[in-house]
Amino acid sequence: MTTPSPLTHTPAVRTPRIEDYALVGDLQTAALICRDGSVDWSCMPRFDSGAVFAKLLGTDEHGSWRIAPAIAAGEPAPYADRCRYVGDSLIVESEWDTATGTVRVLDLMPPRDGHGPQLIRIVEGVTGTVEMASTLAPRFNYGQLVPWVNDIGGRTVAVSGPDALWLDTSVPGTEKNGAVHHSFTAEAGTWVAFALSWQPSHAPAPEVPDAEVALKETAAFWESWAGQLVYDGPHREAVIRALITLKALTHAPTGGIVAAPTTSLPEEIGGVRNWDYRFVWLRDASVTLSALLRTGFRDEAVAWRKWLLRALGGDPQNLQIMYRLDGSRDMPERELSWLPGYEGSAPVRIGNGAVDQLQLDVPGEVIETLALAHELGVARCENTERLILRLVDYVRQHWHEPDDSIWEVRGGRRHFTHSKIMCWVAIDRAVRLAEQGVLTTDLDGLVALRAEIHADVCARAYDPQRNTFTQFYGSKELDASLLLLPQTGFLPADDPRVIGTVDAIRKQLAPDGVLVHRYRTEGHHVGMDGLPGSEGAFILCSFWLVDALALTGRLDEAEVLFEQLLTLRTDLGLLAEEYDPATRRQLGNFVQAYSMLGLAHSAIRLQDLRTKAARPVIAA
């Protein structure tokens, strides 16, 4: 268990914060469970399916499932006194201390083995007796549809259109208005299981899950997976929790990796910056894979490479920045008018219009990860070589064009500096692979192209008066993505232009020296990104600052900053996309792969650099 965050709430809080949730999942979908015992978000059967519980973005009427100590009508739901993950697993254990005793609830989603998604909740009496209540109120299609609820052979089934949920428990229940209620007593030394299974409504009833077997097998699965970790540096617990979370965001059947399991959690409370992240971004997935590869997890790299080859097919010229879990391309963006949004942050969106954007940094991230996989021993693949060469051709044809940037701005295309640098990275890594004999290509032509891009960026993106690279050509603004400069190899890390850029970003975009904003926003005015409003600090960017400080020779400062960032995690070790330093709360979609992989990458980098610095210098 991690050291409790200063954000941990006391009992009787009515409105959950984003950081009040735990994540469980089965490598195909996930659920968010609040500290009050309520499952407030889950999409079944996949991450990008319609939600069967959508209270997270609305109210009780939009679907939830609460198991917790019973309360009188009108009383606030008490928060668990303790929450933790069981060992190196994705099993959540919550405990409530009451006036009559202590009760524990274990929540898990067993990885699938021939069955559909299952959410299993086990109630254990710890001491004394505790009166318990379970209220299951599924609402299909993101909280819009109330199901038929029936008893079939002693099993409860809720049906709406193509979906059915089957509830199995030994406790008798009652149904009212599309909700199923159970009341029972948790006694010390006894336990009661509730198992919820999704099944297509036209299919035969699923088998009744064996909760005890599911608990043992789920624990064994995660402990075995975590046992592959090769990282042995400081903060191992934080690193393995980050990696387990990244694994939980993978879609096992296809190898795709979602950016987050949620949609429309706001980047500004009450604002409009609410997006659907339940898709596979090539950039996010690539960087996620690099974190897993560097810590010993290679099976995921092989699976993702296969996913990548299927998704792009033989036509990288029609490259998209994101795809669905199965590699399909369509994800039209629309708004769900019946959901008020998290704390009134509307609109709630599903799909993502950024799918049609041009983001020229993507080939660089993809090629870099494929090159890393090769360096770390993932077997060579002929189709991978062909894909890299076609991505190189894509960069050759498009690098000089304006694009929509890594941040998916909706305010018009520009010549974003980070995008140009990542075009250079794409060609540079291809040059290295060609020099190693991995690629058969026109090496001289690639070297010349690499030099052309480099010269263009240095001439058009650098501001010599302020000694910093700027957000885009001709701009005076800064962009946190330029904190990646020291690790790209575009310039040496000790180059004054690199150090100047890092220092300028820290001064302008991280006024407290810790929490870094992506770029400046304009409040109520529409800014460069085409959107009104502001947003929190982008957590990944703060980890980029850790890396940049370490690489530019300020290792002690980097380690202090890393320690400060660890305190932003929840008591379960989780991070959302952003953090608001004013209100001291997490913002944006949760749990965010980018934030978790940033933590893992920084820990690994700090350990590597500290080890290197400690090595004795051997005289020639």
Side-chain angles (χ1 to χ4, degrees):
M1 180 175 176
T2 62
T3 301
S5 159
L7 304 174
T8 300
H9 286 203
T10 57
V13 175
R14 288 183 179 274
T15 303
R17 292 190 172 193
I18 290 169
E19 54 266 30
D20 287 326
Y21 287 91
L23 174 79
V24 297
D26 65 0
L27 308 183
Q28 297 191 44
T29 191
L32 293 184
I33 305 169
C34 185
R35 292 182 68 95
D36 67 1
S38 181
V39 180
D40 289 348
W41 180 258
S42 188
C43 301
M44 294 187 183
R46 305 195 323 183
F47 291 108
D48 57 354
S49 299
V52 299
F53 303 121
K55 179 183 175 182
L56 181 68
L57 300 178
T59 65
D60 285 328
E61 69 182 65
H62 298 110
S64 64
W65 181 17
R66 182 173 180 269
I67 298 180
I71 55 175
E75 288 187 1
Y79 274 38
D81 295 276
R82 293 170 295 282
C83 287
R84 70 181 186 97
Y85 280 113
V86 179
D88 290 336
S89 80
L90 210 63
I91 301 168
V92 177
E93 179 182 281
S94 306
E95 290 185 346
W96 285 261
D97 297 327
T98 74
T100 59
T102 296
V103 65
R104 176 184 302 131
V105 176
L106 293 166
D107 288 303
L108 61 138
M109 295 187 75
R112 299 184 205 177
D113 183 14
H115 58 75
Q118 298 173 347
L119 177 56
I120 293 177
R121 315 193 70 185
I122 299 171
V123 181
E124 295 182 330
V126 180
T127 64
T129 62
V130 180
E131 296 303 313
M132 299 292 292
S134 168
T135 300
L136 171 66
R139 297 294 183 263
F140 294 91
N141 194 38
Y142 301 98
Q144 186 181 36
L145 303 175
V146 180
W148 290 108
V149 178
N150 298 291
D151 184 285
I152 299 179
R155 308 176 71 186
T156 301
V157 59
V159 178
S160 178
D163 301 295
L165 288 172
W166 293 77
L167 177 65
D168 294 290
T169 183
S170 60
V171 179
T174 59
E175 183 271 334
K176 182 179 180 181
N177 298 328
V180 185
H181 305 271
H182 296 83
S183 298
F184 59 101
T185 302
E187 300 179 352
T190 67
W191 63 296
V192 175
F194 293 79
L196 190 69
S197 304
W198 179 93
Q199 186 86 330
S201 59
H202 66 273
E207 293 186 8
V208 178
D210 185 321
E212 186 173 6
V213 170
L215 177 62
K216 292 179 180 178
E217 292 183 348
T218 302
F221 170 86
W222 285 108
E223 293 291 342
S224 175
W225 185 85
Q228 302 174 72
L229 179 69
V230 297
Y231 175 80
D232 61 355
H235 307 294
R236 179 202 177 277
E237 182 277 334
V239 172
I240 190 59
R241 178 52 51 195
L243 297 172
I244 288 171
T245 305
L246 294 176
K247 175 65 173 177
L249 300 181
T250 63
H251 185 250
T254 63
I257 305 173
V258 296
T262 58
T263 179
S264 298
L265 286 176
E267 297 169 7
E268 178 185 30
I269 300 297
V272 300
R273 297 168 180 261
N274 317 316
W275 315 109
D276 193 348
Y277 278 12
R278 299 170 301 149
F279 307 114
V280 185
W281 270 256
L282 294 186
R283 175 193 308 108
D284 299 39
S286 297
V287 184
T288 297
L289 255 298
S290 69
L292 291 168
L293 275 167
R294 293 178 190 276
T295 49
F297 300 96
R298 299 189 180 185
D299 291 346
E300 289 73 19
V302 173
W304 179 78
R305 185 175 66 181
K306 292 178 180 177
W307 177 91
L308 181 68
L309 292 169
R310 293 194 305 269
L312 272 60
D315 190 17
Q317 290 301 320
N318 288 318
L319 180 75
Q320 290 189 175
I321 65 166
M322 71 179 87
Y323 297 81
R324 287 192 176 273
L325 296 166
D326 56 6
S328 57
R329 291 170 167 259
D330 293 331
M331 53 195 79
E333 183 174 298
R334 65 186 181 95
E335 299 177 3
L336 305 184
S337 60
W338 60 88
L339 283 172
Y342 177 83
E343 292 194 16
S345 304
V348 171
R349 298 181 175 95
I350 60 172
N352 199 310
V355 67
D356 297 320
Q357 289 189 351
L358 177 65
Q359 296 178 19
L360 291 173
D361 63 302
V362 172
E365 279 108 7
V366 172
I367 294 176
E368 185 166 39
T369 298
L370 292 174
L372 176 65
H374 172 74
E375 291 173 10
L376 295 179
V378 176
R380 180 176 176 178
C381 167
E382 181 179 346
N383 285 335
T384 302
E385 179 181 350
R386 293 167 57 196
L387 173 61
I388 292 173
L389 291 174
R390 292 185 180 185
L391 288 173
V392 165
D393 287 339
Y394 180 90
V395 172
R396 181 183 289 111
Q397 294 176 34
H398 296 286
W399 76 267
H400 58 280
E401 299 175 12
D403 77 334
D404 298 295
S405 94
I406 182 177
W407 305 128
E408 300 175 358
V409 300
R410 300 190 177 199
R413 293 179 177 176
R414 298 171 175 83
H415 291 280
F416 285 98
T417 304
H418 171 72
S419 298
K420 304 297 186 188
I421 291 172
M422 292 309 297
C423 287
W424 179 91
V425 168
I427 304 306
D428 177 73
R429 303 315 188 254
V431 166
R432 296 185 193 180
L433 291 171
E435 290 173 339
Q436 296 168 12
V438 177
L439 289 182
T440 302
T441 185
D442 174 14
L443 180 57
D444 291 340
L446 286 185
V447 171
L449 176 59
R450 181 177 64 178
E452 181 183 1
I453 298 173
H454 194 278
D456 190 73
V457 172
C458 291
R460 301 177 65 187
Y462 177 66
D463 182 347
Q465 292 182 336
R466 295 186 295 160
N467 187 31
T468 182
F469 285 91
T470 60
Q471 185 175 45
F472 53 87
Y473 290 1
S475 171
K476 292 296 183 182
E477 296 295 327
L478 302 181
D479 193 302
S481 62
L482 297 176
L483 290 170
L484 293 170
L485 255 174
Q487 57 186 281
T488 61
F490 182 82
L491 288 170
D494 60 357
D495 188 293
R497 290 168 292 180
V498 173
I499 296 173
T501 300
V502 173
D503 290 344
I505 290 172
R506 192 178 193 184
K507 181 178 180 180
Q508 180 171 310
L509 298 182
D512 64 355
V514 177
L515 296 167
V516 183
H517 291 261
R518 297 187 293 178
Y519 47 81
R520 291 203 305 185
T521 52
E522 302 295 333
H524 294 297
H525 302 288
V526 174
M528 175 278 301
D529 57 11
L531 297 167
S534 298
E535 62 179 23
F538 205 80
I539 293 174
L540 174 64
C541 295
S542 295
F543 285 115
W544 286 349
L545 178 57
V546 170
D547 298 341
L549 289 173
L551 289 167
T552 54
R554 293 169 279 185
L555 186 55
D556 291 342
E557 286 185 62
E559 290 179 333
V560 170
L561 176 57
F562 183 75
E563 295 279 357
Q564 291 174 293
L565 295 177
L566 289 182
T567 67
L568 303 183
R569 297 174 302 151
T570 72
D571 52 354
L572 294 173
L574 305 178
L575 290 166
E577 181 182 24
E578 298 184 358
Y579 186 83
D580 183 352
T583 60
R584 301 185 68 216
R585 61 185 299 185
Q586 297 195 24
L587 296 173
N589 282 304
F590 183 82
V591 177
Q592 179 76 6
Y594 246 169
S595 300
M596 303 305 289
L597 69 87
L599 186 160
H601 268 305
S602 291
I604 296 164
R605 189 178 305 279
L606 291 175
Q607 170 69 358
D608 288 346
L609 291 174
R610 182 59 73 189
T611 300
K612 182 178 180 181
R615 289 175 184 155
V617 177
I618 300 175

